[in-house]
Amino acid sequence: MSLSMLKMYISFAGMIFLFLAIGLILLSRYKLKGVLAVIVSILAYIFLISGGLIIFYIVFSGPTG
């Protein structure tokens, strides 16, 4: 597997993490209450931070040659 394909799959994982974060944040704010909402919210923000870091790495690592 080439480096370009590996970066593509890693970026897909980052995008999936960001979409999961959006869904979990909406779920925790509007559908859940109490301790479960806090747990889902923490999980969502973990996905948001990790997805953002992955995309940041992919964008700033430069083109593959």
Side-chain angles (χ1 to χ4, degrees):
M1 178 180 301
S2 69
L3 182 61
S4 302
M5 291 297 289
L6 185 62
K7 282 188 173 186
M8 183 188 73
Y9 290 133
I10 292 171
S11 69
F12 283 158
M15 288 186 280
I16 290 170
F17 281 1
L18 292 174
F19 282 121
L20 276 173
I22 291 169
L24 289 175
I25 288 171
L26 289 174
L27 180 71
S28 70
R29 285 191 180 185
Y30 298 115
K31 297 292 182 186
L32 300 176
K33 300 279 186 210
V35 177
L36 188 59
V38 172
I39 293 171
V40 172
S41 173
I42 290 170
L43 184 66
Y45 285 110
I46 289 171
F47 276 133
L48 182 69
I49 291 168
S50 61
L53 288 174
I54 288 171
I55 296 299
F56 182 81
Y57 167 73
I58 293 298
V59 168
F60 287 109
S61 65
T64 56

